[in-house]
Amino acid sequence: MKRFISVFSIFMVLSILLCGCDSSQADIKEDSKESKSALNDTWYVGGIYVEGKLIDVHDVSAVEDIYDSVLISFDEKGNFSYYNIYLTEGNYQEISREDGKATYILKSERFFEFDYVNEKFVERPFYENRKTQYIISMLDENTFAMWSYDERSGTVKDESSPTLYVKSDCKSDYIRKHKTDIDAL
């Protein structure tokens, strides 16, 4: 009975404290969090360029098999995790915006992989002291292009061959509109 009264009392105190909250203010705070970055989600490879032609990775099963475990995720704090053979973690920030589409720079801070040792997974550094940068340009709300970025020259490496990522559980209008028909090759 004492436990019930304690739980009930806590519930009542919280109810009284929270009833003064203006829900529109809570919505504004939530909206500003979301607007901080359109990237906040997990993204998978959806397209690659081969000899200047955009290929939807889902149109070729062998290509899809290669990229099915490559993904990148972003959080609202400005951090990213990139999974491609090894794992890369770092931070990102918006560097420009044109026509409502943002461009971001990603700066890696650590590379690592997992080894299975003594019946458990152990994190092991990979490429120590390597600081890779990437640049991302939004193509539509569900698609972005990602290139390696050379900080010294301030340019994209191999501008003709970005990898296109698609937001988890979404379709890419950009890839659908620009892809090369595999049967036409």
Side-chain angles (χ1 to χ4, degrees):
M1 185 69 174
K2 284 183 182 181
R3 182 180 221 174
F4 173 76
I5 292 171
S6 296
V7 170
F8 182 75
S9 298
I10 291 171
F11 176 77
M12 290 305 293
V13 170
L14 287 174
S15 296
I16 292 168
L17 291 173
L18 293 176
C19 72
C21 248
D22 182 355
S23 65
S24 64
Q25 288 176 345
D27 290 343
I28 290 168
K29 288 179 184 174
E30 196 60 39
D31 288 345
S32 67
K33 249 187 196 179
E34 287 180 25
S35 66
K36 181 181 177 193
S37 172
L39 295 176
N40 295 343
D41 209 325
T42 299
W43 302 70
Y44 296 88
V45 175
I48 58 170
Y49 279 89
V50 177
E51 297 179 0
K53 295 180 174 142
L54 176 57
I55 306 297
D56 184 330
V57 298
H58 305 293
D59 289 349
V60 183
S61 62
V63 175
E64 185 176 33
D65 289 345
I66 292 170
Y67 289 103
D68 68 351
S69 62
V70 177
L71 62 102
I72 188 166
S73 63
F74 302 88
D75 69 22
E76 66 279 349
K77 295 176 186 172
N79 300 308
F80 75 91
S81 297
Y82 178 43
Y83 307 91
N84 183 6
I85 302 172
Y86 50 86
L87 286 79
T88 305
E89 291 181 336
N91 57 62
Y92 69 96
Q93 64 183 16
E94 185 175 318
I95 57 171
S96 71
R97 183 174 288 271
E98 282 184 36
D99 300 325
K101 294 181 181 169
T103 300
Y104 302 86
I105 188 131
L106 283 61
K107 296 180 180 181
S108 63
E109 295 183 357
R110 65 184 207 115
F111 293 84
F112 57 98
E113 64 184 354
F114 290 102
D115 278 341
Y116 192 69
V117 179
N118 297 328
E119 298 183 20
K120 61 183 176 181
F121 286 102
V122 177
E123 190 178 297
R124 186 169 60 98
F126 194 77
Y127 285 134
E128 288 197 48
N129 300 319
R130 179 178 170 195
K131 302 289 184 187
T132 302
Q133 292 189 5
Y134 303 96
I135 197 158
I136 286 177
S137 183
M138 297 303 294
L139 302 173
D140 64 30
E141 66 182 17
N142 298 324
T143 316
F144 67 75
M146 182 168 130
W147 298 266
S148 290
Y149 180 72
D150 183 359
E151 185 179 25
R152 288 185 187 138
S153 68
T155 60
V156 168
K157 295 179 184 176
D158 195 10
E159 192 170 323
S160 64
S161 298
T163 303
L164 274 54
Y165 286 80
V166 179
K167 190 182 288 189
S168 179
D169 299 323
C170 293
K171 301 280 186 198
S172 170
D173 288 336
Y174 183 89
I175 292 174
R176 182 182 53 77
K177 290 176 184 173
H178 297 92
K179 71 179 184 177
T180 300
D181 183 13
I182 296 301
D183 296 331
L185 292 177

